[in-house]
């Protein structure tokens, strides 16, 4: 396959050159691939991860492997991304896997589930635990492979017109919340609303919805939710560390040279790390500005977290009973989650809590 | 320079091939470089990061760019690593920058200082804050450039023959602790002991020293410290997120093709992320085994942390007054630390603390 890619890319002169000095000529064809993002350009940290990735691939290949990055909707609408990568309409997609839980709940495990792993734990499970291996095994049913490519860190719980003080306050709440998380909040009585990012502000202003979650301070501030809903609850317990994935059509990937395969892996690793860094650099200033502007930062009451936690664990038991693929991945995920939190509660948590209250 | 590297690497046949089809032939010479690690192979997670890096460079270059990795002492002893990279004795070194604070305290800022950044914050400061830019500017005085390549996460406070209950218990304590941290603990009266890893066990057993810090459960367990000192204190407030760096001789780096430069950057990013993942996967099981074996896990009392924090901040003020290079970097570092902790205390900390006490 390497030979074939080379011949395709190099043309006659290349073949001649290879005949003269095969040791010198790389199995690196000129390639042009397309990557569809699930996101608009306005989410510059998330969308930007795909651009960073493409830039690194371009640089490492000396401009021979060119990947054009397209915002959601330009080539493929976000809901069609999995099908498009599966069918080879595009070679690559960059997305939040949980969007596709309607196909199979396992997609959520590759991104975020309520009361799941935090950002660093998710990366550990993927890079050195069984996470990436198990998710790739699952994704093989859809004809693509995956690479971790970004994380937002723990998101905020979102914007509420009225403060949530009791579990009963969740009952009947018209809440714009992601689909998989909505299956948990729904058990507390919320009515999930599926509203595109650009329409949330108006819905919140008019009172068509009572609350909406988006990402965190940096992204939320740009959409101005603070002007129409005063209470900013935390934590976003349904997204403690959502991972973005790069999906690559398996046949296209298999046709690459070993060099290009390795280049994709490390370029994705760079973009993975940089995206979390960007959020960690940008969120603090945005939060300060929001609070200075009157936003009320309020923790969800513990009884709300407890009721939500129970609802989440009940849901996972039910899915495990009916979906063997979920059970296989979730058993590993939940064992890792238990061990990781046992360790993190000591030196990491104590160091962090001391620093967070120190006079810096 | 690319042309020259190409000719050097490819030989006559390569030159001929380039003449026939220059567009096909990459500016990728056959290169063999040497990387000295500061660490022994027994520290498999840290030493392993350099091996991961070399493997990724090899794969991305189709085997043309070969980097041999050598444990500390094989080519260059750890204390001579900076000089060796500066002089070009080796092209690359992988180390914990704070080892070289004797040359200039600024080295510590590229790794860890007491009450500094945690792992994720350090990566954010380096990747998207001013950290990498500022540290490279400083490293240019030594003729090399740098890439973040690994982090251990928050380390443990180490092994103590007697429990530390008060600030007074630190006074006179013979403590095996890293050099820069020892300047802070010394202000509480500890007598720093510089003992190589392989000799700590015996010193602790004989009572030649009262306490020793090493890394964390995974590495500490291998050296058996639990058998000779029952109290395992946390947090290791002098190493909340120590970063390892890849140092590359600047002239050697400048002589590389743009492709190879980019390959080094992304290979280091992969190794950076994987090393933290390895610790996060391995530490939990080791901690459980240590505790099951009788180790007493004890938090440092808050007065000890408070006294240490004050000693650290005093030291940083003193260095700032006498070392302009430190002041320039530390001013940026400390501002970032303040903002980052302000943000992390809300949704990240609340999510983590809930998960750490949940019945998982």
């Amino acid at each position: 396959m390497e030979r074939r890619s080379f011949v395709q890319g190099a043309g006659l002169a290349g073949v001649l050159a290879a005949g003269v000095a095969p040791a010198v000529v790389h199995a690196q064809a000129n390639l042009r691939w397309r990557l569809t993002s699930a996101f608009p350009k306005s989410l510059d940290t998330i969308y930007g991860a795909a651009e960073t990735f493409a830039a690194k691939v371009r640089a490492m290949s000396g401009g021979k492997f060119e990947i054009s990055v397209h915002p959601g909707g330009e080539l493929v609408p976000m809901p069609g991304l999995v099908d498009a990568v599966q069918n080879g309409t595009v070679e690559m997609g960059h997305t939040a896997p949980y969007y596709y839980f309607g196909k199979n709940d396992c997609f959520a495990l590759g991104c975020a589930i309520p009361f799941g792993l935090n950002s660093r734990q998710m990366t550990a499970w993927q890079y050195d635990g069984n996470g990436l291996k198990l998710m790739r095994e699952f994704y093989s049913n859809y004809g693509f492979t995956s690479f971790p490519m970004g994380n937002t860190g723990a998101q905020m719980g979102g914007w509420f017109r009225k403060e949530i003080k009791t579990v009963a306050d969740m009952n009947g709440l018209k809440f714009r919340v992601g689909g998989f998380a909505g299956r948990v909040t729904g058990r507390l009585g919320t009515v999930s609303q599926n509203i595109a990012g650009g329409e949330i502000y108006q819905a919140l202003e008019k009172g068509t919805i009572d609350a909406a979650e988006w990402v965190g301070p940096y992204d939320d501030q740009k959409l101005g939710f603070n002007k129409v809903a005063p209470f900013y609850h935390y934590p976003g317990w349904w997204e403690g560390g959502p991972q973005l994935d790069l999906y690559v059509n398996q046949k296209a990937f298999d046709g690459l040279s070993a060099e290009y395969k390795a280049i994709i892996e490390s370029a994705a690793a760079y973009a993975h790390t940089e995206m979390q860094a960007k959020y960690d650099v940008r969120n603090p200033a945005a939060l300060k500005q929001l609070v200075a502007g009157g936003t009320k930062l309020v923790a969800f009451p513990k009884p709300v977290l407890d009721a939500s936690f129970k609802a989440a664990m009940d849901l996972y038991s039910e899915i495990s009973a009916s979906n063997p693929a979920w059970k296989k991945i979730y058993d590993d995920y939940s064992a890792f989650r238990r061990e990781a939190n046992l360790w993190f509660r000591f030196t990491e948590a104590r160091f962090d809590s001391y620093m967070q209250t120190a006079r810096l």
Side-chain angles (χ1 to χ4, degrees), chain A residues 56-71:
Chain A
K56 297 298 174 194
V57 171
R58 187 183 310 120
M60 289 193 273
S61 67
K64 291 186 166 296
F65 192 171
E66 184 72 37
I67 297 164
S68 61
V69 179
H70 304 268

Side-chain angles (χ1 to χ4, degrees), chain A residues 96-117:
Chain A
Y98 61 11
Y99 290 149
Y100 314 99
F101 78 95
K103 288 180 181 286
N104 190 315
D105 285 319
C106 293
F107 276 95
L109 291 168
C111 181
I113 59 171
F115 301 101
L117 301 173

Side-chain angles (χ1 to χ4, degrees), chain A residues 74-205:
Chain A
E74 187 175 289
L75 300 178
V76 178
M78 178 274 276
L81 184 145
V82 160
D83 295 336
V85 177
Q86 184 171 4
N87 300 336
T89 308
V90 291
E91 289 88 356
M92 294 173 153
H94 183 232
T95 192
Y98 61 11
Y99 290 149
Y100 314 99
F101 78 95
K103 288 180 181 286
N104 190 315
D105 285 319
C106 293
F107 276 95
L109 291 168
C111 181
I113 59 171
F115 301 101
L117 301 173
N118 72 16
S119 175
R120 204 170 116 183
Q121 292 164 353
M122 186 66 175
T123 293
W125 183 60
Q126 293 260 327
Y127 264 72
D128 196 57
N130 299 316
L132 193 53
K133 194 180 59 148
L134 288 167
M135 288 310 302
R136 283 178 177 169
E137 184 180 293
F138 168 71
Y139 289 145
S140 72
N141 298 312
Y142 299 87
F144 59 78
T145 188
S146 70
F147 298 86
M149 202 158 97
N151 199 303
T152 63
Q155 296 193 5
M156 291 292 291
W159 301 86
F160 293 72
R161 288 164 55 98
K162 289 183 189 167
E163 185 179 348
I164 298 294
K165 294 181 176 175
T166 67
V167 178
D169 290 340
M170 297 289 278
N171 194 28
L173 191 83
K174 286 172 285 178
F175 190 20
R176 189 274 175 200
V177 64
F180 191 81
R183 287 170 68 189
V184 175
T185 62
R187 291 179 180 219
L188 274 66
T190 72
V191 184
S192 294
Q193 310 283 319
N194 191 7
I195 299 177
E199 292 158 28
I200 298 173
Y201 181 94
Q202 208 176 18
L204 209 49
E205 185 182 29

